């Protein structure tokens, strides 16, 4: 069971965390990740017995996230001595503010990265964020939401640090080997800016 996920708008850089602990404004209720359809492609020629395998076609993957928005008060916010009316009013203000953040993050046409553990999917919204119209699920205490996404590249990718890192190799030497008077110096291609030298004192014949 997934207890925590992170949504990132790759255009704006906005990030929210949705989990089951209630430590954020967004509480995860249910996460549904569909399995993509896989269809084998085959062909036949005259008088062939059976079929020849040509490859696979992998479909898209749907992602549905549902949960609740709740009001979270900061540690420096003092609610003691506040009337119930003022308390509920502040809760509603915080919920509306959190809804606005969520609406701006899940924008149609933007790419939304869904990070689960050390893996992520790149997705597109199928529509705007949907909110419950029932009073018991949308009030000054909480608000139920649902996000529908689709991943056109259904393969999970591994997260390394804060993103995907690819090392590049720079040319450090024009010749792969330099003959010196007492040794042989080899140039080794290395990632990044560091240079590795391998010195051999072996006799050359």
């Amino acid at each position: 069971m997934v207890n925590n996920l992170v949504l990132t708008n790759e255009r704006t850089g906005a990030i929210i965390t949705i989990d089951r602990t209630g430590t954020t404004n967004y509480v995860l209720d249910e996460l549904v990740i569909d399995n993509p359809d896989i269809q084998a492609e085959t062909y036949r020629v005259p008088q062939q017995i059976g079929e020849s395998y040509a490859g696979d076609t992998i479909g898209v993957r749907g992602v549905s996230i549902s949960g609740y928005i709740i009001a979270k008060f900061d540690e420096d916010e003092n609610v003691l001595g506040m009337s119930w009316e003022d308390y509920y009013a502040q809760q509603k203000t915080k919920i509306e503010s959190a809804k606005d953040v969520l609406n701006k993050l899940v924008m149609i046409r933007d790419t939304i990265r869904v990070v689960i553990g050390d893996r992520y999917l790149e997705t597109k919204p199928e529509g705007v964020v949907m909110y419950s119209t029932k009073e018991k699920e949308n009030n000054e205490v909480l608000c139920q939401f649902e996000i529908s996404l689709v991943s056109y590249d259904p393969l999970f990718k591994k997260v390394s640090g804060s993103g995907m890192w690819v090392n590049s190799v720079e040319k450090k030497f024009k010749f792969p080997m330099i003959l010196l008077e007492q040794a042989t110096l080899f140039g080794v291609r290395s990632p990044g800016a560091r240079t590795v030298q391998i010195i051999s004192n072996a006799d050359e014949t």
Side-chain angles (χ1 to χ4, degrees), residues 21-139:
T21 64
T23 56
T24 73
N25 290 104
Y26 309 95
V27 180
L28 178 63
D29 180 35
E30 186 177 25
L31 171 67
V32 178
I33 302 177
D34 297 336
N35 290 322
D37 293 330
I38 302 176
Q39 182 176 355
E41 301 291 338
T42 61
Y43 64 89
R44 299 183 64 180
V45 297
Q47 299 182 359
Q48 178 178 345
I49 297 175
E51 297 181 343
S52 297
Y53 172 78
D56 293 318
T57 299
I58 303 177
V60 301
R61 187 191 295 270
V63 179
S64 177
I65 305 168
S66 61
Y68 294 89
I69 296 176
I70 61 174
K72 293 292 295 181
F73 288 93
D74 298 330
E75 294 182 358
D76 58 348
E77 292 182 283
N78 187 11
V79 297
L80 296 177
M82 188 180 299
S83 67
W84 282 110
E85 289 185 359
D86 291 340
Y87 180 75
Y88 284 136
Q90 286 204 23
Q91 278 195 314
K92 186 174 182 179
T93 299
K94 289 181 176 294
I95 289 175
E96 291 299 323
S97 177
K99 287 168 64 176
D100 187 55
V101 170
L102 186 59
N103 290 337
K104 291 179 178 178
L105 186 140
V106 184
M107 297 286 289
I108 297 175
R109 297 183 180 177
D110 284 352
T111 298
I112 309 300
R113 177 175 292 193
V114 182
V115 181
I116 304 170
D118 64 347
R119 306 284 172 170
Y120 74 88
L121 281 174
E122 288 189 343
T123 67
K124 294 282 188 180
E126 289 192 300
V128 298
V129 181
M130 301 298 294
Y131 299 100
S132 175
T133 58
K134 298 179 180 179
E135 184 177 357
K136 64 179 181 179
E137 298 172 343
N138 188 350
N139 48 56

